[in-house]
Amino acid sequence: MALYDNSRVRRQDRLLSADEAFELIGTAEYGVLSLIEKQGEELTPYGIPLNYAWDGENVLYFHTAPAGQKLVCIQQNKAASFCLTGKTQVLSDKFTTNYESVILRGKIETDLPSAEKRKALELLLDKYSPEDKAVGLKYAEKSFHRTEILRFTIQTISGKAKQIK
């Protein structure tokens, strides 16, 4: 299991417990993948919202097209961050927002073995289309040749929340 480490979180009074963070990883709908792209001598941040599936241990999977800016960034630098946000609530009269979030840091890999790609697609179907999984598996097989799967191996996890009544 990846290291749960809140040592870099400034507001230590708002920490999520490890159990709360893992629950959020398992239930969040999507997150924002942050990568770094090198353009000449300049490093440029690149963030993109993505659906994901978690293996229950230390790996997230994303599906994407076999070409594009994400893959260019990953070819240049495999380091990545993935931010998940759970429940939020704007408290207008208090000028703040209740929230829960988790930040995962790790490395991304491409060019996975076919068996792992199929497993990832099945995890994605289990999460997002469980009632339509049989049809989804057929669709995944038909489009398998034009689908890239990214493996995000989680190295560290941190989480925090703000809950004001």
Side-chain angles (χ1 to χ4, degrees):
M1 186 65 71
L3 175 65
Y4 189 70
D5 178 9
N6 277 324
S7 64
R8 294 170 41 178
V9 177
R10 183 181 63 85
R11 291 294 306 261
Q12 292 286 303
D13 58 320
R14 293 189 179 161
L15 301 181
L16 286 178
S17 70
D19 288 343
E20 292 169 320
F22 290 119
E23 182 178 336
L24 183 55
I25 295 168
T27 59
E29 185 177 350
Y30 70 95
V32 176
L33 179 66
S34 296
L35 303 167
I36 300 168
E37 182 178 18
K38 188 169 184 180
Q39 295 180 346
E41 293 300 312
E42 187 174 324
L43 296 178
T44 305
Y46 178 68
I48 184 165
L50 292 175
N51 290 337
Y52 70 97
W54 181 38
D55 74 349
E57 293 292 326
N58 67 335
V59 171
L60 301 181
Y61 291 103
F62 310 105
H63 84 329
T64 188
Q69 189 170 357
K70 284 187 298 296
L71 295 176
V72 169
C73 293
I74 292 165
Q75 288 170 355
Q76 294 174 353
N77 188 339
K78 296 190 181 308
S81 175
F82 193 61
C83 179
L84 302 169
T85 304
K87 298 175 203 136
T88 62
Q89 177 190 21
V90 174
L91 302 173
S92 176
D93 62 326
K94 294 185 174 47
F95 309 103
T96 193
T97 301
N98 283 337
Y99 66 88
E100 54 186 10
S101 66
V102 173
I103 296 177
L104 312 170
R105 290 180 177 85
K107 300 278 184 194
I108 292 203
E109 298 294 329
T110 59
D111 301 319
L112 305 179
S114 292
E116 186 174 3
K117 288 172 67 172
R118 284 184 172 84
K119 173 189 157 196
L121 289 168
E122 191 165 341
L123 287 171
L124 285 159
L125 287 167
D126 287 341
K127 180 175 181 180
Y128 294 104
S129 300
E131 294 84 22
D132 301 303
K133 185 174 179 181
V135 173
L137 287 170
K138 290 177 187 175
Y139 180 82
E141 199 55 44
K142 284 182 187 176
S143 62
F144 193 76
H145 66 284
R146 64 177 185 267
T147 301
E148 178 65 69
I149 298 293
L150 309 176
R151 179 197 318 122
F152 179 91
T153 302
I154 304 166
Q155 295 171 330
T156 63
I157 302 168
S158 65
K160 72 178 196 176
K162 182 177 184 181
Q163 297 300 320
I164 296 176
K165 304 290 179 193

